Amino acid sequence: MNFLKQTFKAPPMRRETGDKVFSFILLIPTILMTVIFILVPVVDSIIKSFMDYRAKHIISGQAPEWNNFANYLKLFENDKLMRSIIITFLFVIFVVFLQFVLGMALALILNSKIKGARFLRSIMMVPWVVPTVISALIWMWIFQPQYGLMKYVVSVLTLGAVNDLAVLNDPQLALLGVSIAALWKQIPLTTLLLLAGLQNVPEEMLEAATVDGAGSATKFFRIIIPSMKSVINVTMSMAIIENFKQFPLVWTMTGGGPNNSTSTLAVFSYREAFVSNNLGSGAAITTIWMLLMVVVVFVYNHLMKIDD
């Protein structure tokens, strides 16, 4: 019997194979969460975008009707979709660009070994920790046209010459006001990520460049930026995605107004689905919105690789 057990004994699993199996087992909860809470809703939304699916179908229990591309055709016939796309791109480009510039500037300052750098890092992260809706309420108070902080500061600086400053009520300034609030909340994380990248730049290269007579600008563009390219790529990709899907901040501060001047794709999709009760049309907007985001991130990453 012992002879048979030794003869037909399964071969021992290699350590490398065992590590792979163990790693896969650890990933199973993450994979399940991703499939259940991300992939399934995305596929479900895409399917619903080809249906005439309204609130009446939910109330009555009727099955939605398949209408092919009718939802998309109606959207492209309506100028609201193109307006929302333009507003979304303006918001994303403006916020992401300034987020990188200001975040890099703060990272360089914090990396210069100034006194109290650790304290400044801790204080700097407060806006990022504050919930998005609370951030929106804070900035609504700052921009409040009657008693807001912005009105008071401008009135003092202009000696009372400017008293009427309704940022969120002005169609030409509302998107700028929302962008400032988005920057206030997102710059801390960007700064922290870029600071981590700065601390990994080889000191030997910077010292050698200094000995060779290179100036600060030359060292920044020829050494620091190339050394941080992977960190910058990840950080800016995260910023693009975050601002493309920005909804709570915009909806809380303006609701897409005034006069649809801040109606991004996220706001337009919500209005179509839950205000107009046209869930199929809202799903179609979400699908277009998702495709645009994927294309923008793909193009950005492709351009970053070309520069390598």
Side-chain angles (χ1 to χ4, degrees), residues 171-192:
Q172 296 181 345
L173 296 176
L175 189 63
L176 176 63
V178 176
S179 300
I180 291 172
L183 285 168
W184 179 78
K185 179 165 179 58
Q186 296 174 29
I187 282 176
L189 180 60
T190 301
T191 302
L192 191 66

Side-chain angles (χ1 to χ4, degrees), residues 99-115 117 120-121 124 187-201 203 206 215-228 232:
Q99 194 172 331
F100 173 72
V101 173
L102 297 177
M104 179 61 79
L106 287 172
L108 289 169
I109 293 172
L110 293 174
N111 196 50
S112 61
K113 298 178 180 179
I114 61 172
K115 292 183 178 179
L120 289 175
R121 291 178 201 172
M124 183 186 64
I187 282 176
L189 180 60
T190 301
T191 302
L192 191 66
L193 294 173
L194 294 176
L195 179 61
L198 274 173
Q199 292 176 345
N200 290 324
V201 176
E203 289 288 343
L206 294 173
S216 300
T218 303
K219 288 189 288 185
F220 179 75
F221 289 106
R222 294 293 182 89
I223 298 175
I224 294 176
I225 292 294
S227 300
M228 294 178 58
I232 293 173

Side-chain angles (χ1 to χ4, degrees), residues 81-99 171-180 182-183 186 239-240 243-246 250 260-266 289 292 296:
L81 176 64
M82 188 53 63
R83 180 183 176 87
S84 295
I85 291 174
I86 293 171
I87 291 172
T88 301
F89 271 91
L90 288 175
F91 176 76
V92 171
I93 292 170
F94 179 78
V95 174
V96 171
F97 175 75
L98 283 183
Q99 194 172 331
Q172 296 181 345
L173 296 176
L175 189 63
L176 176 63
V178 176
S179 300
I180 291 172
L183 285 168
Q186 296 174 29
I240 292 170
N243 289 288
F244 243 103
K245 66 183 184 66
Q246 184 62 260
V250 182
N260 293 323
S261 59
T262 59
S263 181
T264 60
L265 285 168
W289 165 28
L292 286 173
V296 169

Side-chain angles (χ1 to χ4, degrees), residues 120-131 135 184-185 188:
L120 289 175
R121 291 178 201 172
S122 303
I123 294 298
M124 183 186 64
M125 293 306 295
V126 171
W128 182 69
V129 175
V130 174
S135 299
W184 179 78
K185 179 165 179 58

Side-chain angles (χ1 to χ4, degrees), residues 251-273:
W251 184 256
T252 304
M253 291 183 71
T254 64
N259 196 23
N260 293 323
S261 59
T262 59
S263 181
T264 60
L265 285 168
V267 173
F268 186 33
S269 174
Y270 180 84
R271 279 181 171 176
E272 196 71 13

Side-chain angles (χ1 to χ4, degrees), residues 21 25 36 61 85 108 123 134 136 150 157 162 170-171 184 192 204 209 213 248 250 258:
V21 172
I25 292 172
I36 294 171
I85 291 174
L108 289 169
I123 294 298
I134 303 300
M150 181 70 70
L157 293 177
V162 178
D170 189 339
W184 179 78
L192 191 66
E204 299 79 10
V250 182

